[in-house]
Amino acid sequence: MNKSAMTTAASFAFDASRCLICSARNLNMCGALEQDELSKLSKIARCESFGSGEALFHEGDTANTVYNITDGAVRLSSTLKDGRRQVIGFLFSGDFIGFSDRPNYPWTAEAVRGAKVCRFGRNDIAKLGRELPKVEHRLLEMATSDIASAQEHITMLGQGSAAEKVSSFLLMLSRKAAQRGGVANPVHLPMTREDIADYLGLAFETVSRCFTRLENEGLIAIGSIRVVRIKDAEALADYSENE
Amino acid sequence: MNKSAMTTAASFAFDASRCLICSARNLNMCGALEQDELSKLSKIARCESFGSGEALFHEGDTANTVYNITDGAVRLSSTLKDGRRQVIGFLFSGDFIGFSDRPNYPWTAEAVRGAKVCRFGRNDIAKLGRELPKVEHRLLEMATSDIASAQEHITMLGQGSAAEKVSSFLLMLSRKAAQRGGVANPVHLPMTREDIADYLGLAFETVSRCFTRLENEGLIAIGSIRVVRIKDAEALADYSENE
DNA sequence: CGCAACATTGAAGCTTCTCAATTAAGGTGG
DNA sequence: CCACCTTAATTGAGAAGCTTCAATGTTGCG
C-alpha cells in the first residue's frame, strides 16, 4: 500500500518457543521436539520485522518462503481485477503463512501496524519435513486448523447479517487473543474499519454503523477507535448466530 | 434430511486408484506408493454406498471416521441454531472428507443423488501416517488444496454480486469435472437450486433468477434443470470477476 | 396418473451500498 | 509541543440489489 515504506528487515534472536512448530497456541509439540531437532529448525529460520502497512510479499510473487508470525498482526488479502479486495484473514503471533499448492502466492501479506516473523525457505521446510516426521505432522495440524478457520469465515459470510458479522468478528478476535495468552476482553483492533469491512464482505460505512448500533444497544463500549470492551458477551454471541 | 432413508452400506472391491492418496486429481503419488504400502491402505479401508440425500454422518457426531469419495457427490453443511444452513462445499470423486481438529464433526455430510466412498478409521489413518511418511505428506497436500478451495469460496462470498457468484459456481463445477476426468462443458448439477443458494449465501429464488438472466444474455443454455451448457465461457469468466 | 418436491416468476419491502458532508485521529515538521 | 495536514471514522439521505411472500409451472417418483 505504502510504496515508500522501507523494508525494515532486521535479524533478531531466534526464539524457538515462538516459531513454527512451537506456536503459543499449541505448546505440546515443544516438549516433543528434541534439542537437536530444534537446532535444525533454528538453522533454517531467519527473523524479520515489518513496519505498519509493509508487505511481506505480494500476490503473484514466487512463493519460495513461508512465515511464522512471532509478534503483531498480518493481513492476508486478494485483490480482484476491478480493485475490490477480499481480506482472507488476520493472522497473529503463532500463526503460519504459506499453505498454498501453487508456485506463486495467491494473496498479499501485509503487516497491520507492525509485525515480527520467522521466515523459512519453502524447500528447507519441505526437506526438514521429510527428515523429521514430527514437523510434517505439525504442519498438517496447522493446515487443519486453517481449514476450520476458513470454514467459520465462510459461514459468517454466507449466513450473517451485517450486525451478526461484526458481532462474530469481535468475539473471534477476543477468543484468538485469549488463545495466544493475551487479554480477551478489552478487544484490541489493530486493523482499520475498511480492513474489517473487506474481511466481512461489507462496506466500511456499514461496519461503522454496526459498531455504533452495538454500542447503543449496550452490548459493547467503544473506548477508543481501536479498543472495544465487550459488555454483554452472551447477547453478542446470540447476535452472532441468530439476530 | 430423509430420516427414513435406509443406510444402504455395501462392501465393494477396493480400488486403490480411487482411494485416499490416489485421487483421480493427483495421480503422482500412485506411482510413488509401493505395492505393500497400497496393501496396508486397503486393509484399513471399507467401501460403502449412500443413496440420494442419505447422511454419511451428522454435525456433532463423534468424528472417528474419515472418507474418500470414489463416485458421486457429497454436500458438506453446517446448520445454525435458527435453522439457516451454510453449504461449506460440494465434494466429488477423489475428494477427502475429515480434516478437522475437533472430536466431533463440525458439519453434516450428505450424499447428493447418491455417492460411493471409502471409509477409514481416524486412528488407523493416523497410525498409517506415522508408519508411512508419504501418507502424511499426501494428507498435507490434500489439506492445502482444501485451504485453497475455501479461500476461493470466501472471496466469492465476500465480493461477488448474485450473478457473479452463480457464474463462478458454474465455472468451478466445470473445472472440477474436467479435473477428475469428466466433461467440462455441459455442466451437470447434481444439487438443487436451494443447495446452490446455501453454498453461495443467496435466496434460492435469486439463484433461479440468475440462471434465467444468464440464459437470456446468451452466456448459458439450460438444457434441463440439472444440465447447463456454457455458451460463452469468456463472458462468464468476466462476469465472475467484474460485473 | 397423481402427488410432493423442486423451480420459476412477480411484486413489495428491507437491508446494505453509494455518494456526500462532517468529525476525529494520527503523524510530521516547524 | 503544537499546528497542520492527511488519513480514518462517523453520520445522513437516496438508490440499488437481494430477500420475502405468494402464486404458478415443472419434474420425477411411487
Side-chain angles (χ1 to χ4, degrees), chain B residues 171-236:
Chain B
L171 290 171
M172 183 198 71
L173 280 190
S174 171
R175 182 166 38 84
K176 280 200 166 190
Q179 278 174 350
R180 60 178 186 273
V183 288
N185 196 339
V187 183
H188 184 242
L189 308 165
M191 68 291 289
T192 66
R193 297 288 187 267
E194 189 163 16
D195 286 339
I196 299 172
D198 288 349
Y199 180 80
L200 298 176
L202 298 170
F204 69 89
E205 296 96 326
T206 305
V207 172
S208 184
R209 275 185 259 267
C210 285
F211 273 102
T212 304
R213 180 174 155 200
L214 290 175
E215 183 170 39
N216 288 341
E217 291 177 354
L219 305 194
I220 61 171
I222 301 173
S224 81
I225 283 178
R226 292 195 155 30
V227 181
V228 172
R229 190 165 59 83
I230 296 174
K231 291 171 69 178
D232 190 345
E234 211 161 312
L236 210 59

Side-chain angles (χ1 to χ4, degrees), chain A residues 140-154:
Chain A
L140 181 57
E141 280 183 351
M142 291 194 293
T144 302
S145 161
D146 267 22
I147 291 172
S149 300
Q151 290 176 344
E152 276 174 40
H153 196 176
I154 286 169

Side-chain angles (χ1 to χ4, degrees), chain B residues 132-166:
Chain B
L132 305 177
K134 281 174 198 165
V135 170
E136 190 106 318
H137 185 75
R138 181 74 187 103
L139 285 169
L140 180 57
E141 280 182 352
M142 292 194 293
T144 302
S145 162
D146 266 22
I147 291 172
S149 301
Q151 290 176 344
E152 277 174 39
H153 195 175
I154 285 170
T155 301
M156 186 166 65
L157 287 173
Q159 300 302 320
S161 67
E164 286 176 300
K165 287 175 176 178
V166 171

Side-chain angles (χ1 to χ4, degrees), chain A residues 113 161-163 201-203 205-206 209 225:
Chain A
R113 307 183 66 75
S161 67
L202 297 170
E205 296 97 327
T206 305
R209 274 185 259 267
I225 284 179

Side-chain angles (χ1 to χ4, degrees), chain A residues 176-190:
Chain A
K176 280 198 164 189
Q179 278 173 352
R180 61 178 186 273
V183 288
N185 196 340
V187 183
H188 184 241
L189 308 166

Side-chain angles (χ1 to χ4, degrees), chain A:
Chain A
M1 186 169 279
N2 184 0
K3 276 228 157 193
S4 66
M6 292 206 322
T7 298
T8 58
S11 274
F12 50 87
F14 177 76
D15 174 8
S17 74
R18 284 271 166 198
C19 272
L20 191 60
I21 56 174
C22 301
S23 77
R25 296 205 296 214
N26 226 322
L27 295 163
N28 55 315
M29 278 295 292
C30 268
L33 263 204
E34 306 301 333
Q35 192 53 48
D36 62 327
E37 295 173 334
L38 280 175
S39 89
K40 277 187 186 172
L41 192 65
S42 73
K43 280 206 187 88
I44 62 171
R46 231 188 87 104
C47 294
E48 290 185 351
S49 182
F50 291 87
S52 185
E54 223 179 319
L56 284 67
F57 53 82
H58 291 96
E59 201 171 343
D61 287 355
T62 307
N64 39 29
T65 309
V66 300
Y67 299 83
N68 200 66
I69 303 174
T70 54
D71 194 34
V74 172
R75 173 183 62 233
L76 231 57
S77 62
S78 302
T79 301
L80 277 64
K81 280 187 291 194
D82 62 358
R84 282 174 299 174
R85 183 185 69 156
Q86 176 65 42
V87 172
I88 303 297
F90 296 104
L91 305 177
F92 301 92
S93 178
D95 288 333
F96 180 84
I97 304 174
F99 287 121
S100 168
D101 45 11
R102 269 159 274 189
N104 302 302
Y105 295 114
W107 2 256
T108 294
E110 291 155 316
V112 186
R113 307 183 66 75
K116 290 182 179 176
V117 303
C118 278
R119 51 179 294 170
F120 302 87
R122 214 188 205 189
N123 295 337
D124 292 339
I125 279 288
K127 187 161 163 284
L128 195 66
R130 283 191 294 273
E131 287 172 18
L132 305 176
K134 281 175 198 164
V135 170
E136 189 106 318
H137 185 75
R138 181 75 187 103
L139 285 169
L140 181 57
E141 280 183 351
M142 291 194 293
T144 302
S145 161
D146 267 22
I147 291 172
S149 300
Q151 290 176 344
E152 276 174 40
H153 196 176
I154 286 169
T155 301
M156 188 165 62
L157 287 172
Q159 300 303 321
S161 67
E164 286 174 301
K165 287 174 174 178
V166 172
S167 303
S168 300
F169 181 74
L170 287 174
L171 290 170
M172 183 197 71
L173 280 191
S174 171
R175 182 166 38 84
K176 280 198 164 189
Q179 278 173 352
R180 61 178 186 273
V183 288
N185 196 340
V187 183
H188 184 241
L189 308 166
M191 68 291 290
T192 66
R193 299 288 188 265
E194 189 163 18
D195 286 339
I196 299 172
D198 287 349
Y199 179 80
L200 298 176
L202 297 170
F204 69 87
E205 296 97 327
T206 305
V207 172
S208 185
R209 274 185 259 267
C210 285
F211 272 102
T212 305
R213 181 174 154 199
L214 291 174
E215 183 170 41
N216 288 341
E217 291 177 354
L219 305 194
I220 62 171
I222 302 174
S224 81
I225 284 179
R226 292 195 156 29
V227 181
V228 173
R229 190 166 60 81
I230 296 175
K231 290 171 70 178
D232 190 344
E234 211 162 311
L236 209 60
D238 283 349
Y239 235 123
S240 74
E241 296 197 6
N242 265 312
E243 170 83 331

